[in-house]
Amino acid sequence: MGLSYCTSAAMASKMRTTTGKKSHRHRMVQLLLDRRAPEKTVRIPCPEPPRTEQEKTLAADLAKKPAILMNKDPAHCQRVFAYYLDNVWVNQGFLVFRDYLHPEPARDFLKFLEELGITKAQWKILSFDQADRSRSIPKWRTELGLAAVFPIIKFNDGKTRIKAKDWLAIMPVFVDDNKSRNSQPEAKGSNAFRYLMIMGAIVSAHQGGL
């Protein structure tokens, strides 16, 4: 047996980014103690749940799989959850992988997505290399078994990150059934998926994985 649920949740809640303003890495419930002072909230070590009906439905559908996967291959799930806790990009919701010479975490994550029933058509993969002829993208394709026709989008938020030119980011994108995929080109990470992963990491730590 690993950590208690409360301890593992508290640890996740306290995690911060390592650069910039060093904000909290994971979204947690904010409790309003006094409605007369809405700016004063208390951060509770409980992952922020999905809010929209679409996200709630998605979370319920996705939640059916992790318990089965953790029983089938707990070591694989524990690796994925641990990596996610440390490397999810706060504002965008994608997971960052920094070295194609060590592609195992990216392979683990893609395998995890497939086992959740998240198909390649739902994968969004981004490269931080802004060069016209990237050196890293072909290497990532080889290591991850991605066909040449699979789209890898260049991520550009206006910031120069020289050290990040070999990085790759991956996230699942769940397009609204009532809209076409092309109508949502700037889709960000799903709150439902983020919630699932943080809760999974907390349970995994409780079971002795982290």
Side-chain angles (χ1 to χ4, degrees):
M1 186 64 67
L3 303 172
S4 70
Y5 286 116
C6 292
T7 300
S8 56
M11 291 175 62
S13 178
K14 292 177 181 178
M15 295 179 71
R16 291 182 176 272
T17 56
T18 58
T19 59
K21 297 181 180 179
K22 296 186 177 182
S23 58
H24 286 103
R25 183 174 290 279
H26 306 298
R27 298 173 183 172
M28 296 287 164
V29 171
Q30 300 289 336
L31 182 62
L32 177 62
L33 299 178
D34 188 344
R35 292 184 179 180
R36 295 170 297 181
E39 74 283 356
K40 294 182 180 180
T41 60
V42 176
R43 182 177 171 86
I44 305 298
C46 177
E48 183 180 80
R51 296 183 179 181
T52 68
E53 289 305 315
Q54 181 185 357
E55 289 279 356
K56 290 177 182 178
T57 300
L58 176 59
D61 288 342
L62 291 174
K64 299 172 184 177
K65 295 285 184 68
I68 298 174
L69 298 181
M70 290 179 74
N71 287 328
K72 177 183 176 182
D73 191 349
H76 173 228
C77 292
Q78 289 161 359
R79 290 195 304 271
V80 171
F81 287 135
Y83 191 89
Y84 189 91
L85 272 185
D86 289 334
N87 296 279
V88 65
W89 196 282
V90 178
N91 295 326
Q92 298 288 336
F94 49 57
L95 193 57
V96 177
F97 304 92
R98 295 173 174 80
D99 190 351
Y100 53 76
L101 295 177
H102 300 283
E104 294 82 7
R107 290 176 185 162
D108 276 344
F109 187 59
L110 292 182
K111 178 183 176 183
F112 183 78
L113 294 182
E114 288 183 324
E115 291 180 338
L116 282 178
I118 299 172
T119 67
K120 287 185 178 181
Q122 295 171 293
W123 298 356
K124 185 173 183 179
I125 301 183
L126 306 100
S127 169
F128 285 71
D129 191 349
Q130 300 301 314
D132 291 335
R133 299 184 65 179
S134 171
R135 181 193 67 168
S136 62
I137 290 179
K139 295 182 183 296
W140 276 115
R141 287 189 185 279
T142 299
E143 295 298 336
L144 300 182
L146 298 173
V149 295
F150 188 93
I152 295 181
I153 305 166
K154 291 190 176 183
F155 175 72
N156 186 356
D157 61 354
K159 298 180 180 179
T160 302
R161 298 184 177 90
I162 297 177
K163 294 183 179 180
K165 62 184 178 63
D166 291 338
W167 292 8
L168 199 74
I170 303 174
M171 67 179 176
V173 174
F174 306 95
V175 178
D176 188 334
D177 291 338
N178 296 320
K179 298 179 181 179
S180 69
R181 182 172 298 277
N182 291 334
S183 71
Q184 300 182 40
E186 302 301 327
K188 295 185 179 181
S190 161
N191 289 330
F193 183 76
R194 186 196 298 260
Y195 177 73
L196 174 81
M197 295 300 291
I198 303 304
M199 289 297 296
I202 291 171
V203 173
S204 178
H206 174 67
Q207 295 181 346
L210 303 183

